[in-house]
């Protein structure tokens, strides 16, 4: 089985040594001596980090999760090329018939080992239980939580994470039961107040979907959902493509939210040339590094997680250790995947190998090398 030598990021810090993988796809051991993290990029050895974990993936490689057929497999293969070793397939707000078809088609890819692909750990249901006044790029099919609908979809493919607007009548009253059933609840696409956010957190909601985007902003007399997140959240998503959120706002969130983690919110246009693509039922255009609706509204992104890491280090100014946690460890911890997002004996051998410029060299998913077109 593979053995990797270089500067390895462990939970205790960087070591100069060797990482061994076992036949069961897990890390069998790490040996080495501790080194100063500040020297990691200067010594000429490969940099070995946990594989990236992305909890908000709509598409990639020209495919959308809401497409029919084997789109989920293609999306997982596309993101593996950029170092993502596990992800949540993320749906759009849509009629039940569209969601049923999407769940049925993605079911074979969820929770099974796909060749040359990231592991799809489950589904992030981003809508339809959101506020029609904060759709962002979501189609206008928002509605309150429908438990029977949710149960039917979950039976087709496991839902790990639900984005919800708690101020929508009936939604807040459902949160505690959903949390007790094992779902993670994030607040997002919300016009709610600070107080409504606090009430949702009291019921068990404990995250925020793409912080700052599609939610009520911070004002000193009306703190809004952004204020609620900054004051009380331990976990929240952020899209660090430097288009969705200004670097200064990311700095604010980093000071306030201990386990702020990165997502791509990626679309079918990820890994593809400029042009027109579909996001659910909506046509979007990729140009100038972004994806937008015809009216100019940002509609997801073309961000990849390796670029997210570089943005955190090179633009935001985080240490490589901190940045790695925000593209791997914290997201894994949020959904309870404690055997991913970290390099330690017994964890899955989800590994990325980078050069001194933080460009990908090799990628391993559960101990198997991705056929990487570098």
């Amino acid at each position: 089985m593979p053995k990797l030598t270089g500067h390895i990021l462990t939970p205790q810090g960087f070591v100069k040594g060797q990482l061994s993988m076992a036949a069961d796809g897990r890390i069998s051991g790490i040996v080495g001596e501790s080194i100063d993290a500040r020297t990691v990029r200067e010594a000429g050895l490969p940099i070995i980090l946990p594989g990236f974990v992305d909890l908000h993936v709509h598409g990639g490689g020209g495919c959308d999760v809401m497409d029919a057929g084997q789109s989920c497999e293609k999306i997982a293969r596309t993101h593996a090329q950029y170092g993502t070793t596990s992800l949540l397939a993320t749906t759009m707000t849509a009629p039940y018939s569209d969601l049923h078809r999407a769940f049925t088609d993605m079911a074979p890819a969820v929770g099974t080992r796909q060749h040359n692909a990231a592991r799809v750990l489950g589904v992030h249901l981003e809508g339809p239980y959101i506020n029609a006044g904060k759709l962002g790029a979501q189609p206008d099919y928002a509605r309150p939580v429908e438990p029977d609908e949710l149960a039917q979809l979950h039976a087709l493919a496991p839902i790990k994470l639900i984005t919800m607007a708690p101020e929508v009548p009936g939604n807040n009253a459902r949160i505690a039961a959903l949390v007790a059933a094992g779902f993670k609840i994030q607040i997002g696409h919300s016009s709610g107040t600070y107080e409504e956010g606090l009430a949702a957190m009291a019921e068990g909601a404990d995250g925020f979907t793409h912080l700052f985007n599609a939610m009520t902003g911070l004002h000193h007399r009306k703190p809004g959902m952004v204020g609620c997140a900054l004051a009380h959240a331990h976990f929240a998503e952020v899209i660090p493509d430097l288009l969705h959120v200004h670097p200064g706002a990311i700095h604010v969130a980093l000071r306030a939210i201990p386990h702020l983690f990165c997502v791509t919110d990626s679309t079918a246009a990820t890994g593809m040339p400029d042009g027109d693509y579909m996001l659910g039922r909506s046509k979007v255009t990729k140009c100038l590094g972004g994806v937008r609706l015809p009216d100019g509204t940002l509609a997801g992104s073309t961000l990849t997680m390796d670029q997210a890491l570089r943005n955190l280090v090179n633009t935001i100014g985080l240490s490589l250790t901190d940045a790695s946690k925000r593209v791997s460890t914290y997201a894994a911890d949020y959904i309870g995947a404690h055997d991913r997002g970290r390099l330690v004996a017994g964890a899955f051998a989800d590994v990325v190998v980078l050069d001194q410029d933080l460009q990908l060299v090799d990628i391993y998913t559960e101990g198997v090398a991705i056929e990487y077109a570098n």
Side-chain angles (χ1 to χ4, degrees), residues 276-292:
D276 293 335
Y277 299 91
M278 296 304 295
L279 179 61
R281 290 189 171 199
S282 301
K283 186 170 79 170
V284 297
T285 300
K286 176 184 178 181
C287 64
L288 301 175
V291 184
R292 298 179 185 272

Side-chain angles (χ1 to χ4, degrees), residues 185-196:
I185 305 298
Q186 288 189 161
I187 298 169
H189 289 275
S190 171
S191 295
T193 64
Y194 172 90
E195 290 77 13
E196 287 168 327

Side-chain angles (χ1 to χ4, degrees), residues 6 11 43 59 69 76 119 123 134 136 147 154 198 202 243 253 277 283 316 334 336 346 355 366 368-369:
R119 172 74 76 159
V123 180
K134 283 288 185 181
H154 184 56
L198 273 182
L243 290 174
Y277 299 91
K283 186 170 79 170
I316 304 301
Y334 182 60
D355 64 17
E366 297 178 13
V368 178

Side-chain angles (χ1 to χ4, degrees), residues 1 9 66 111 113 126 144 164 186 206 219 242 264 267 271 283 294 298 302 325 332 348-350 352 363:
M1 293 301 293
L9 180 57
M66 300 299 292
R113 182 76 174 88
E126 189 189 13
M164 180 186 298
Q186 288 189 161
D206 62 354
H219 183 277
L242 311 182
T264 61
T267 64
K283 186 170 79 170
L298 282 169
T302 61
K325 291 176 182 177
F348 281 106
D350 293 344
V352 292
I363 304 153

Side-chain angles (χ1 to χ4, degrees), residues 26 58 78 91 95 150 179 233 250 256 344 364:
R26 294 180 181 266
H58 288 289
T78 298
T91 57
L150 188 58
V179 171
I250 294 177
V344 63
Y364 295 83

Side-chain angles (χ1 to χ4, degrees), residues 11-359:
Q12 293 74 41
F14 273 101
V15 300
K16 179 181 179 182
Q18 186 175 81
L19 180 150
S20 300
M21 307 181 196
D24 64 357
R26 294 180 181 266
I27 297 171
S28 57
I30 299 172
V31 296
E33 58 182 7
S34 297
I35 57 173
D36 187 337
R38 293 171 295 182
T39 68
V40 165
R41 297 179 67 183
E42 301 170 1
L45 289 177
I47 299 168
I48 301 170
L49 303 180
F52 308 135
V53 181
D54 191 350
L55 304 188
H56 198 140
V57 178
H58 288 289
C63 294
D64 186 282
V65 167
M66 300 299 292
D67 292 343
Q70 297 180 327
S71 60
C72 196
E73 290 93 328
K74 176 66 180 295
I75 292 163
R77 289 195 298 271
T78 298
H79 284 274
Q81 293 287 309
Y82 299 96
T84 295
T85 52
S86 51
L87 59 83
L88 294 185
T90 305
T91 57
M92 296 288 288
T93 296
Y96 175 73
S97 58
D98 288 10
L99 289 168
H100 186 278
R101 186 187 68 249
F103 270 70
T104 300
D105 289 344
M106 78 172 78
V110 177
T112 59
R113 182 76 174 88
Q114 302 291 318
H115 174 66
N116 219 42
R119 172 74 76 159
V120 182
L121 300 177
V123 180
H124 175 175
L125 192 69
E126 189 189 13
Y129 312 132
I130 62 175
N131 194 312
K134 283 288 185 181
L135 291 172
Q138 298 274 347
D140 191 7
Y141 295 98
R143 54 190 181 273
V145 173
E146 297 180 10
D148 290 344
E149 170 185 87
L150 188 58
Q152 291 164 15
L153 294 174
H154 184 56
L156 294 171
I159 298 169
K160 298 290 187 181
L161 177 59
I162 302 170
T163 291
M164 180 186 298
E167 75 279 4
V168 172
N171 278 6
N172 196 61
R174 303 283 189 189
I175 292 175
L178 292 174
V179 171
F183 300 108
K184 299 295 287 186
I185 305 298
Q186 288 189 161
I187 298 169
H189 289 275
S190 171
S191 295
T193 64
Y194 172 90
E195 290 77 13
E196 287 168 327
L198 273 182
M201 295 186 77
E203 294 297 318
D206 62 354
F208 289 78
T209 297
H210 44 50
L211 182 66
F212 299 110
N213 300 118
M215 64 179 63
T216 44
L218 173 67
H219 183 277
H220 59 286
R221 285 191 291 273
K222 294 181 178 180
M225 281 300 176
V226 169
C228 182
L230 296 176
H232 301 286
H234 290 278
F235 289 90
E237 300 177 357
V238 71
I239 307 170
D241 62 352
L242 311 182
L243 290 174
H244 278 78
V245 183
H246 189 281
I250 294 177
H251 279 291
V252 170
L254 287 165
R255 288 176 67 101
I257 301 175
H259 300 107
L260 185 75
F261 62 88
C262 296
V263 296
T264 61
D265 199 6
S266 56
T267 64
T270 302
M272 301 294 287
D274 286 358
D276 293 335
Y277 299 91
M278 296 304 295
L279 179 61
R281 290 189 171 199
S282 301
K283 186 170 79 170
V284 297
T285 300
K286 176 184 178 181
C287 64
L288 301 175
V291 184
R292 298 179 185 272
L293 295 173
D295 66 0
T297 300
L298 282 169
S301 82
T302 61
L303 182 66
T304 57
M305 288 298 269
D306 62 326
Q307 186 60 52
L309 177 76
R310 290 189 291 271
N311 287 350
L312 291 181
V313 174
N314 297 333
T315 301
I316 304 301
L318 298 189
S319 70
L320 187 53
T321 300
D322 191 6
S324 176
K325 291 176 182 177
R326 298 183 190 280
V327 295
S328 298
T329 313
Y330 294 156
D333 286 350
Y334 182 60
I335 61 169
H338 299 299
D339 50 5
R340 300 183 189 271
R342 54 187 41 79
L343 300 183
V344 63
F348 281 106
D350 293 344
V351 184
V352 292
V353 182
L354 304 106
D355 64 17
Q356 280 62 50
D357 296 322
L358 305 184
Q359 298 294 329

